[in-house]
Amino acid sequence: MCRLGILGGGQLGKMLSQAARKLEFPVEVSIYDTSDYACAREDADRFHRGSFEDIEAIQRFAEDLDIITYEFENIPVAVVASLSHAIQGSEALRILQNRLLEKEFVDSLPGIPCVPHAQVGLGFSMDYPFIVKTVQFGYDGKGQYLINDVNDLAHVKTGMVAERYFPTLTEYSMVIARNVDGTTTHYPTFENVHVNQILDTTRFATIDKGLEEQLFEKAKNIALALDYIGVLTVEYFFADGKLYVNEVAPRVHNSGHITLDAANISQFDLHLYSLLGITYPEITIDPDWCMVNVLGQHYMAVREKSLPGKFYDYGKHSTTKNRKVGHINGKLQYLDLLKKAREE
Ligand code: ADP
Ligand code: MG
């Protein structure tokens, strides 16, 4: 029997809990979240509501647990550092929850560089168009502004990260896993389309083997340099004939939801295998799948239809516009149909 604790009770915590149920031994899942309505709650054996700033409450939560994982980045580093059985470690959080530290770190490693960037401050200048992002707490494009010309400069605030903006680009993600037993594995590259800075669809990329190798090498360098254990995702841009790192997430990733159907082992299983030291099987995939995200505004339309795909309903308490409430995995031939099914 293994007692697993998850910090964060959103959809990633939910799908991790569900994966825990499929392991060959019994697992008791405990979830810690700030909201009584956390969607992972119904999948957990035990649930604790509390603040992520409350180190003592989290330490009490963690006391009787065997391993702890987190499903999102914005947890105070000190909290995770104080938990010896948080196997992912706190170094990944320390660096990756801060866009500037993240970029400096990524650029200090060999391989693909970050998008050209600078911190806004005295003497800052960058050619238009550029994009500014808050240094911390961004997700789904929140805290980001596209700066096309001088009229947009009101959004450019000291301390923000400014990056070159690519009007046309291809986006990739590489989901890799590193096991406590020292081994590493990864899925083939995913190709992602974002709409309004929110992931819209994922499919397997048609990509040159040499480029894919570079994506994997960089992701592996990052995981090794952080001494990271678990699933880690690197988001990449391919623009103007060059590869760039966009950002790194020390966790399972929305693009990896496709693996629930398209792979012999899902990213959620892989994360647990990593933490528990279970030997990875060789990963096999069926490239004939795609994933379509369902946001609050799509929910009713999707619920009402019979879809040529599998709808994963996160059971969110509210269906807020532009918030992820589910996703659909389906065969690639139905991609357009599935996208359309989200409309009224
Ligand atoms: P988040 O943490 O919100 O995922 P990202 O930095 O990954 O933030 O940005 C979200 C999306 O916005 C990206 O996946 C991409 O579609 C778009 N985007 C972000 N930065 C750039 C850029 N420099 N050039 C072009 N598009 C960008
Ligand atoms: Mg992103």
Side-chain angles (χ1 to χ4, degrees), residues 133 139-141 144 163-164 166 171 194 235 246-247:
K133 303 182 178 182
Y139 67 95
D140 288 346
Q144 301 190 6
E163 291 179 3
R164 182 192 299 167
F166 298 109
E171 299 196 46
H194 288 73
E235 296 177 10
N246 172 37
E247 60 173 356

Side-chain angles (χ1 to χ4, degrees), residues 113-233:
C114 286
V115 177
H117 62 279
Q119 188 171 23
V120 178
L122 259 183
F124 163 80
S125 82
M126 196 173 265
D127 291 341
Y128 300 118
F130 63 90
I131 188 165
V132 286
K133 303 182 178 182
T134 50
V135 172
Q136 274 185 298
F137 305 125
Y139 67 95
D140 288 346
K142 294 204 171 38
Q144 301 190 6
Y145 299 95
L146 173 59
I147 312 299
N148 277 308
D149 55 40
V150 66
N151 297 313
D152 299 326
L153 285 179
H155 294 296
V156 182
K157 306 249 165 65
T158 301
M160 284 178 127
V161 186
E163 291 179 3
R164 182 192 299 167
Y165 179 74
F166 298 109
T168 50
L169 80 180
T170 308
E171 299 196 46
Y172 296 122
S173 55
M174 173 60 63
V175 175
I176 77 161
R178 185 161 172 258
N179 199 304
V180 278
D181 72 11
T183 55
T184 306
T185 189
H186 67 101
Y187 293 103
T189 310
F190 302 127
E191 185 169 329
N192 305 314
V193 174
H194 288 73
V195 173
N196 298 327
Q197 289 157 299
I198 303 171
L199 181 64
D200 192 55
T201 61
T202 295
R203 60 200 286 178
F204 289 92
T206 316
I207 184 173
D208 176 89
K209 277 282 157 233
L211 287 186
E212 179 157 61
E213 193 53 36
Q214 288 181 47
L215 301 184
F216 171 58
E217 276 304 315
K218 185 72 190 204
K220 196 167 126 187
N221 287 341
I222 291 170
L224 287 174
L226 293 171
D227 200 14
Y228 180 81
I229 303 293
V231 163
L232 176 135
T233 307

